[in-house]
Amino acid sequence: MRVFVTGASGWIGSAVVDDLLAADHEVTGLARSDASAAALAAKGAHVRRGDLDDLDGIRDGAEAAEAVIHLANKHDWSDPAASNAAERAAVQTIGDALAGTDLPFLLASGVAGLTQDKPATEDDASPFHGPDSPRGGSENLALEFVDRGVRTVSLRFAPTVHGTGDHGFIARIAAVARQKGVSGYPGDGTNRWAAVHRVDAGRLVALGLEKAAAGTRLHAVAEEGIPTREIAQAIGRVFDLPVTSIAADDVQDHFGWIGTFFAMNLSATSTVTQEVLGWTPTGPTLVEDLDAGAYSAR
Ligand SMILES: NC(=O)c1ccc[n+]([C@@H]2O[C@H](COP(=O)([O-])OP(=O)(O)OC[C@H]3O[C@@H](n4cnc5c(N)ncnc54)[C@H](OP(=O)(O)O)[C@@H]3O)[C@@H](O)[C@H]2O)c1
């Protein structure tokens, strides 16, 4: 299949591209820099130079493809509204380009905010609608295209897609611990985070491309929920730092923007996903990764 991948040079995208190429798909990756273009070309992928804001380029990439996997995100935590607007515009553009084709459109999403008091499941619809909601309401917008003849599949990644080289949320929490000289956890540290290893996440996306039906919500989740206190304890072990509770009122001040997420319950299951795809996560757990030096050997 000719697959157009945005975010192909990213943490998850680069694993996805490896899996797609290994499965003999023809991959075109969106690249906005020479370095990203060179990395993609070195793997044997085609390159489409462009930016998320170049909607004509995104449309052309989608129209030339037999499937789109949208993983790019600006991730500007100082201006989430701008990131969300770009995300929504890209999803609208890709959906319009694929309308009436029945071709696959897989897009990145997450599990934050899906549920409050229980682990999120694939059956929990996203409550986020419209441009002012998290991620610009992109999951629901993309799913609306199912009725317009697009095989939309949502890829809900765990809040940590971990492994050596990760620069995401756990790397940020570890950086805060090193800056502050203490590995903190919010409150009593019983709120939980789901997790998945990057290699398992990449494999899930490639399987989703081949097997998931229109309208499917897939959970890239290997571990349902690790208490944040255990995450902080592992970070404390590897950096030889004391571990302590951070009172709810001090979480924002202590952790900065990542505090909002670290204080949330972000647990989720993947029972349906595992059945639908025949996907069994095999990678190390988050704590195994931390203890093995995935976040400290640099
Ligand atoms: N990692 C996680 O734990 C996690 C958890 C939940 C959801 N997600 C979602 O999964 C997706 C992939 O995440 P990731 O961790 O792989 O992110 P990442 O490593 O930060 O990669 C982001 C990708 O987006 C590209 N990009 C950023 N701004 C762009 C722009 N203006 N125009 C075009 N491309 C742009 C980057 O290209 P460059 O190489 O040029 O920078 C890179 O390829 C994102 O939507 C993310 O929100 C990730």
Side-chain angles (χ1 to χ4, degrees), residues 6-14 30-33 36 50-53 58 70-75 77 87 108-111 135 155-162 166-169:
T6 75
S9 54
W11 170 242
I12 298 172
S14 52
L30 182 71
R32 58 178 175 155
S33 69
S36 296
D51 191 276
L52 267 183
D53 292 329
I58 300 282
H70 171 53
L71 302 169
N73 193 292
K74 290 187 174 181
H75 287 152
W77 302 112
E87 166 69 0
S109 190
V111 302
R135 299 187 76 90
L155 306 163
R156 291 176 171 174
F157 295 106
T160 172
V161 179
H162 55 90
D166 174 23
H167 54 259
F169 284 4

Side-chain angles (χ1 to χ4, degrees), residues 9 13 29 52 78 133 143 148 150 171 176 197 231 250 258 276 294 297:
S9 54
L52 267 183
S78 65
S133 55
L143 289 169
R148 291 180 57 194
V150 179
V176 170
H197 192 272
I231 296 172
D250 299 330
I258 192 65
V276 166

